[in-house]
Amino acid sequence: MAKSTPKPDLNLLKCLIEQNFLFRGMEETWLGQYLSPSLIKEEKLFSNRPIYTAFRPNQYIDGLYVILGEGLVIARSAPLDRIISITYPGSCFGIRSLPFSFGLAAQGFPSLVEAYKTTHIVKIPLETLQTLYQESEEFRQRYHLLFELRQKFQYHLLNCSTYPPQAVASLLRALIYQERELGNQPNEKGIYQFDLPIDIIARACQLNQRTVEQVLKGMQKAGLLTPAKNTEISADFVWVIDPEALKEVYSATRDKVPWWPLR
């Protein structure tokens, strides 16, 4: 589970204001009235360890998880072990398992939430979160958008056909839309960079890993993606350089992707 790793020299409140969608740009003095240094602490979530099981009837968690940096957090549905959400630094997870707002209506089948890679987070207590939600219109609008983005992410996954190029393109389009709306992407050159290991793509799209590798190679040859040129960057990163052309693959049928050899 989570292990506390306090760092006294780290201004967590400032980190939230500078890096996280929910708190970005908020006035530090005002936000400090709700989030005192004694209330929030940095924690580390280790990979492949369950954080909680979401969507269980009448069972909720006690706070919102805000990702500070590193890693990514996934939710896996059963029994197909399909990934139904991917959360990166700059965003939050847990909103659909909190007993207020739309969380009261976000019921479903139990799904495991876990950190895919070691992840640093701050957990916002439920009571503090509810107070912010009630007293700040700006916070409330952003909180509602997080629910909207979760639904739209799953909508894109519904368009994952059995045709591999379209399936992978559907996931990439989902992530592009999500991270663009959160203000996390693209970078200054207009490139979308995703920490997206092969097996994550495979489990989200219901493909085998070998097929995913072939699709990514085809997308690179077609000029949709580019391999990372910096050797210090993980090989798991996918760089989307032509998101507009990716739309054509996203809407493609079996005869419309010339670089894919299998029909």
Side-chain angles (χ1 to χ4, degrees):
M1 299 293 283
K3 180 180 179 181
S4 178
T5 55
K7 297 180 179 179
D9 59 331
L10 183 64
N11 187 334
L12 293 179
L13 190 61
K14 190 173 182 179
C15 287
L16 293 177
I17 292 171
E18 292 179 349
Q19 301 174 16
N20 188 263
F21 169 74
L22 268 183
F23 306 100
R24 188 177 295 140
M26 290 186 173
E27 206 278 315
E28 187 172 351
T29 303
W30 175 82
L31 189 59
Q33 300 174 28
Y34 303 91
L35 298 174
S36 65
S38 62
L39 191 65
I40 55 174
K41 292 181 174 60
E42 182 183 1
E43 299 178 30
K44 182 181 291 186
L45 303 176
F46 294 101
S47 61
N48 299 316
R49 297 186 187 181
I51 303 170
Y52 62 90
T53 301
F55 311 133
R56 289 182 294 183
N58 301 316
Q59 293 192 38
Y60 301 97
I61 59 177
D62 58 358
L64 180 70
Y65 294 85
V66 177
I67 301 182
L68 291 180
E70 296 185 89
L72 60 153
V73 174
I74 61 175
R76 298 191 288 116
S77 66
L80 295 179
D81 193 30
R82 185 170 190 176
I83 291 174
I84 58 175
S85 75
I86 301 175
T87 309
Y88 290 109
S91 189
C92 317
F93 64 97
I95 57 171
R96 293 178 295 177
S97 295
L98 294 173
F100 77 101
S101 182
F102 298 113
L104 292 170
Q107 301 298 312
F109 297 103
S111 301
L112 187 67
V113 178
E114 66 182 12
Y116 185 82
K117 297 182 178 181
T118 300
T119 305
H120 296 271
I121 62 99
V122 166
K123 191 173 182 181
I124 310 297
L126 174 60
E127 183 177 351
T128 302
L129 197 70
Q130 288 178 300
T131 302
L132 282 167
Y133 181 85
Q134 293 167 359
E135 298 185 5
S136 172
E137 175 65 23
E138 182 180 19
F139 183 89
R140 194 157 52 245
Q141 290 176 352
R142 295 182 185 185
Y143 193 81
H144 290 171
L145 181 59
L146 289 177
F147 278 94
E148 180 181 328
L149 293 176
R150 284 289 185 251
Q151 291 301 112
K152 288 182 176 178
F153 185 90
Q154 292 186 19
Y155 167 81
H156 280 88
L157 291 189
L158 287 174
N159 287 322
C160 281
S161 72
T162 56
Y163 187 40
Q166 187 195 44
V168 175
S170 297
L171 176 61
L172 293 177
R173 288 299 306 170
L175 291 173
I176 287 171
Y177 184 88
Q178 171 182 287
E179 297 304 302
R180 185 181 64 211
E181 290 297 302
L182 291 172
N184 298 330
Q185 300 262 18
N187 65 14
E188 65 279 359
K189 296 182 180 180
I191 297 175
Y192 290 83
Q193 306 172 64
F194 300 112
D195 190 350
L196 199 60
I198 295 292
D199 62 321
I200 289 284
I201 301 174
R203 283 195 282 173
C205 300
Q206 297 291 280
L207 300 171
N208 65 63
Q209 295 187 31
R210 176 60 178 164
T211 299
V212 171
E213 290 174 353
Q214 294 301 110
V215 172
L216 294 179
K217 287 180 181 178
M219 287 183 170
Q220 287 183 14
K221 290 181 179 179
L224 305 177
L225 311 179
T226 184
K229 297 179 175 60
N230 188 339
T231 56
E232 295 181 359
I233 296 178
S234 169
D236 290 337
F237 270 77
V238 172
W239 289 33
V240 181
I241 58 174
D242 196 344
E244 292 304 311
L246 195 64
K247 290 181 181 179
E248 298 178 10
V249 182
Y250 173 61
S251 59
T253 59
R254 290 182 180 274
D255 298 323
K256 292 185 178 179
V257 182
W259 48 263
W260 183 247
L262 302 178
R263 303 297 176 187

